[in-house]
Amino acid sequence: MNSSLNAARRARELAEVRDLVVDVLVVGLGATGAGAALDAASRGLSVAAIDAHDLAFGTSRWSSKMIHGGLRYLAKGQVGVAYESAVERGHLLGRTAPHLVRAHPYLLPLVPEISRRHAALLMTGYRLGEGLRVAARTPRHLLPGPSRISAAQTLALASPLSSRGLRGALLSWDGRLTDDARLVVAVARTAAAHGARILTRCRALELSGDGALVRDELDGDTFTIRARTVVNATGVWAAGLHPGIRLRPSRGTHLVLRSETLPGLAAGLHVPIPGESNRFALILPQPDGRVHVGLTDEPVDGPVPDVPRVPEKDVTFLLSILNSVLEEPVRREDVAGTYAGLRPLLAADGRPADLSRRHALLSRPDGLVTIVGGKLTTYRRMAEDAVDRAVSLGRLGAGRSRTAELPLVGAVPDGANGAGPGRGADGRKSGEGGEVRGADRLLERYGNEAGAVRALMAEASWLAEPGPAGVTGAELVWAVRHEGALDVDDLLDRRTRVGLVPRDRDAALPLARAALAY
């Protein structure tokens, strides 16, 4: 079946689900919900998947764009979580999404605050992480091993660093997403290609094990979707549909800097947080030339907002950590944008930073399955476990999960684009020289569909002209025709990430409106 999502398909499938009883209804279209829709549909089950807003509207678009190997969890003794993360990272790098997930270098600068003993312990941790890579059977050519490099080599990869007292750096590699929201779109479109009905702007008002009362947020119409089993994958909003669940959301804040703010940054940075032996801030150069700085881990009390606000204290905290290792400090006015996401952690005693990232399944005899906890890296395994439980509860005729080996829409076989780990197709290190341009940029975002996007540019001159953040009109039109974008918010805030910088978003509004009308 066609993988394209658009307004016409939505209208057709909305009419269809009123007269059906589907095997699985998935509520929530973040990474886990889209993953559950794909997992169920690829087993041959009939699936409807709904979201009150849009694909990747919630937590899934607010991540650090990292695909972790689980080293942090290993340091806390969470061996199972660490191994699971390493396995899932390997699937994404090598098979399911190699166009969106690649290895990227990260430096831990050996500044005076890190003693030689501490540096030795950290390198031991990196070597344990290398053991995880081996255990997960991820090939070395996809993910190089750790090493120690000199101060000169460190500054060559990260020239904004201060040279005062710098003894070099520990160089490690981990997975990095081109764009977390694009991963969700690829998963949802792959589910659609297997027959899943992907329905955005459909809010679940009431939920039970045999379906949901749903409101179409575009026209206000209310109707029922009937199902044999239901998967609640609404993340931090899960308790609203499954009373009794206790979550403790944690806010992770990032700053967004323009490329000219930290020129010459070709690798990510791990910067130690004072008073914390195993917590680091992250400075992450992005393929679009911007740099993201994160990550806080603060408890959030009270009602869960649709879009979290960033408090000024988070901005101050992250700037102080960043500036502790730079030659020239970044000022508050240099911050071009901010964003925050809420992690759906299970309630427990202790600080949010210390809570387990293991996911949990909660089910009711009537067939309602709720999946909570976890993290972006392990979305596929979370989805598999949720569908396994739904199949068992609903006594559905379905085989085992296929998604570990199922390439997502756009997937390019390893090595087909000539790019090694952390490098673009022209051999440059990721982030080197700022924004990835032209064919390389399209390949990293669209994989084997890049040619179709490029062909669309030939239809009119304005479709090929780069706009804010390098995004072209053709990419926006592609999002309307094939990726389910229904309005300017979908286009600028999720299908592309222009909206992370408010000034760029304002400048791109005319282009987005033209794409919707084209």
Side-chain angles (χ1 to χ4, degrees):
M1 183 179 286
N2 193 333
S3 67
S4 294
L5 298 174
N6 49 50
R9 180 169 180 168
R10 176 186 182 274
R12 182 177 70 252
E13 294 184 342
L14 263 178
E16 292 173 356
V17 295
R18 298 167 189 253
D19 299 321
L20 298 174
V21 179
V22 296
D23 292 321
V24 182
L25 169 63
V26 179
V27 183
L29 281 167
T32 304
L38 172 57
D39 192 283
S42 64
R43 299 190 199 199
L45 299 172
S46 59
V47 177
I50 64 175
D51 194 282
H53 299 287
D54 181 32
L55 304 176
F57 181 86
T59 301
S60 294
R61 63 169 161 149
W62 301 129
S63 77
S64 293
K65 319 297 182 288
M66 293 183 68
I67 297 298
H68 290 282
L71 183 58
R72 177 179 176 184
Y73 314 116
L74 193 65
K76 296 179 179 180
Q78 299 171 16
V79 178
V81 177
Y83 175 71
E84 183 176 271
S85 296
V87 169
E88 294 303 319
R89 177 185 62 186
H91 291 324
L92 287 161
L93 282 167
R95 177 65 175 170
T96 61
H99 61 309
L100 294 175
V101 181
R102 295 187 180 187
H104 190 72
Y106 297 88
L107 301 177
L108 197 160
L110 296 177
V111 294
E113 290 74 17
I114 295 182
S115 68
R116 296 183 185 280
R117 180 177 179 276
H118 192 192
L121 288 173
L122 290 168
M123 179 54 83
T124 298
Y126 285 147
R127 292 195 176 108
L128 290 173
E130 175 72 354
L132 279 176
R133 178 197 64 78
V134 174
R137 299 183 178 181
T138 302
R140 172 66 69 83
H141 77 273
L142 288 179
L143 198 68
S147 60
R148 178 167 177 166
I149 62 176
S150 68
Q153 291 171 312
T154 301
L155 292 172
L157 288 169
S159 58
L161 286 173
S162 172
S163 61
R164 294 185 297 275
L166 184 67
R167 307 193 308 274
L170 304 183
L171 171 63
S172 61
W173 296 76
D174 216 335
R176 189 193 67 175
L177 269 166
T178 298
D179 186 330
D180 45 7
R182 293 205 63 76
L183 175 67
V184 178
V185 172
V187 175
R189 290 184 59 206
T190 310
H194 284 81
R197 295 168 173 86
I198 305 297
L199 304 170
T200 59
R201 305 308 200 282
C202 289
R203 182 182 298 275
L205 302 175
E206 298 175 8
L207 203 60
S208 64
D210 60 0
L213 179 65
V214 178
R215 183 175 67 223
D216 184 340
E217 298 290 74
L218 295 185
D219 63 14
D221 187 28
T222 300
F223 57 97
T224 297
I225 298 180
R226 295 175 295 161
R228 295 179 178 88
T229 57
V230 177
V231 174
N232 174 13
T234 53
V236 289
W237 298 275
L241 295 172
H242 191 150
I245 295 175
R246 293 180 60 241
L247 297 177
R248 189 181 179 188
S250 167
R251 183 182 66 248
T253 294
H254 291 80
L255 313 181
V256 181
L257 310 177
R258 295 190 184 278
S259 57
E260 59 266 24
T261 304
L262 292 177
L265 187 61
L269 299 177
H270 293 141
V271 181
I273 295 175
E276 303 274 358
S277 59
N278 285 303
R279 276 193 70 205
F280 301 88
L282 304 171
I283 292 85
L284 303 162
Q286 303 297 309
D288 63 7
R290 297 166 174 169
V291 178
H292 295 181
V293 180
L295 175 74
T296 62
D297 214 337
E298 297 294 327
V300 175
D301 299 316
V304 178
D306 282 347
V307 179
R309 297 180 64 110
V310 174
E312 192 62 26
K313 67 176 183 178
D314 285 10
V315 179
T316 301
F317 169 77
L318 290 171
L319 282 178
S320 68
I321 302 300
L322 171 64
N323 288 333
S324 70
V325 296
L326 297 183
E327 183 71 29
E328 298 291 335
V330 173
R331 302 163 299 174
R332 178 61 180 89
E333 54 266 34
D334 296 324
V335 177
T338 62
Y339 66 90
L342 300 180
R343 305 176 186 87
L345 305 181
L346 290 170
D349 295 330
R351 303 180 310 163
D354 297 327
L355 298 183
S356 175
R357 297 306 197 251
R358 182 179 294 280
H359 62 272
L361 283 171
L362 301 95
S363 56
R364 299 194 318 217
D366 67 352
L368 175 62
V369 176
T370 296
I371 179 83
V372 290
K375 54 193 179 299
L376 181 63
T377 302
T378 58
Y379 84 89
R380 191 212 62 82
R381 178 58 187 273
M382 294 169 65
E384 176 184 335
D385 289 352
V387 175
D388 280 346
R389 181 71 61 86
V391 166
S392 175
L393 285 173
R395 301 177 186 271
L396 304 176
R400 299 179 64 180
S401 175
R402 300 172 49 209
T403 53
E405 298 298 325
L406 190 64
L408 301 180
V409 166
V412 178
D414 174 40
N417 60 2
R423 293 182 180 270
D426 60 357
R428 291 183 307 159
K429 297 182 183 67
S430 296
E432 187 174 29
E435 179 186 329
V436 177
R437 292 180 173 85
D440 298 344
R441 179 185 176 281
L442 292 179
L443 192 63
E444 287 194 353
R445 295 182 63 79
Y446 299 94
N448 61 24
E449 293 185 319
V453 178
R454 195 174 302 113
L456 185 56
M457 293 179 179
E459 292 187 10
S461 59
W462 70 273
L463 292 172
E465 188 69 25
V471 173
T472 63
E475 293 170 74
L476 300 179
V477 171
W478 179 266
V480 174
R481 293 181 179 177
H482 302 286
E483 296 179 345
L486 300 178
D487 59 23
V488 295
D489 294 342
D490 293 355
L491 289 173
L492 299 181
D493 299 333
R494 289 171 288 278
R495 302 306 180 276
T496 66
R497 308 314 294 275
V498 174
L500 289 175
V501 175
R503 185 177 297 179
D504 289 348
R505 191 184 195 281
D506 290 343
L509 282 172
L511 189 63
R513 291 172 181 141
L516 288 165
Y518 184 64

